[in-house]
Amino acid sequence: PHWGPVIFVVVIAVMQVVPYRVQNAAVVTHMKWNSPRTQALAAAACSDCHSNHTRRPFYAAIAPVSWVLRNHVDSGRAALNFDDCRSGGGEDARNAGETIVEGSMPPSYYTWFGLHPDARLSAADKRILAEGLRLSLIASGC
């Protein structure tokens, strides 16, 4: 008998009991957005990883995808969290606009397979978001 597929299904089933999934914590601080446009662009392109308002599609509950997503969100929130600016920001917050303009944020995999099409920003939107984010982070003390 071919046990490979059976073992694969059993392993995937067992993985589902590991409770490592994205959780949204309460908002600690509110960003002082410099404009509604900056807020809308940040919500579309950044908030899933850099806020406590992560949208969780159905596949975010299925291991091992859930584990990868949780790791990415945890890393993003550690670098900059729009809903928890208590740390006073740091290098990552100061460089947020630069990473947007140079194209490393949002990361390319975020829009693969047509996922998150609203996160695909034009060059003009990237410049608007970068400058607005810089001003908003300063105003918010991040």
Side-chain angles (χ1 to χ4, degrees):
H2 293 100
W3 290 100
V6 173
I7 291 170
F8 177 78
V9 170
V10 168
V11 168
I12 293 295
V14 169
M15 292 167 94
Q16 304 315 306
V17 299
V18 178
Y20 192 68
R21 290 167 177 76
V22 173
Q23 301 296 318
N24 284 326
V27 173
V28 176
T29 58
H30 290 280
M31 282 287 287
K32 296 174 183 157
W33 296 103
N34 77 311
S35 74
R37 181 73 176 144
T38 300
Q39 186 175 11
L41 288 169
C46 311
S47 289
D48 277 343
C49 291
H50 295 287
S51 79
N52 293 342
H53 292 95
T54 301
R55 294 174 291 180
R56 294 170 288 193
F58 75 92
Y59 55 84
I62 302 169
V65 173
S66 64
W67 303 348
V68 173
L69 292 176
R70 169 77 184 264
N71 184 42
H72 285 263
V73 171
D74 286 352
S75 296
R77 288 176 179 168
L80 173 63
N81 187 339
F82 302 146
D83 294 323
D84 189 355
C85 290
R86 295 176 295 176
S87 66
E91 194 68 24
D92 291 320
R94 287 190 291 279
N95 293 330
E98 184 179 318
T99 64
I100 293 165
V101 171
E102 73 183 17
S104 60
M105 285 291 156
S108 59
Y109 62 79
Y110 188 67
T111 57
W112 284 350
F113 311 115
L115 299 174
H116 311 289
D118 52 337
R120 292 181 183 209
L121 303 177
S122 68
D125 281 344
K126 286 180 181 182
R127 286 190 301 276
I128 291 167
L129 176 57
E131 179 60 15
L133 189 54
R134 184 185 71 77
L135 295 170
S136 299
L137 289 169
I138 290 169
S140 301
C142 291

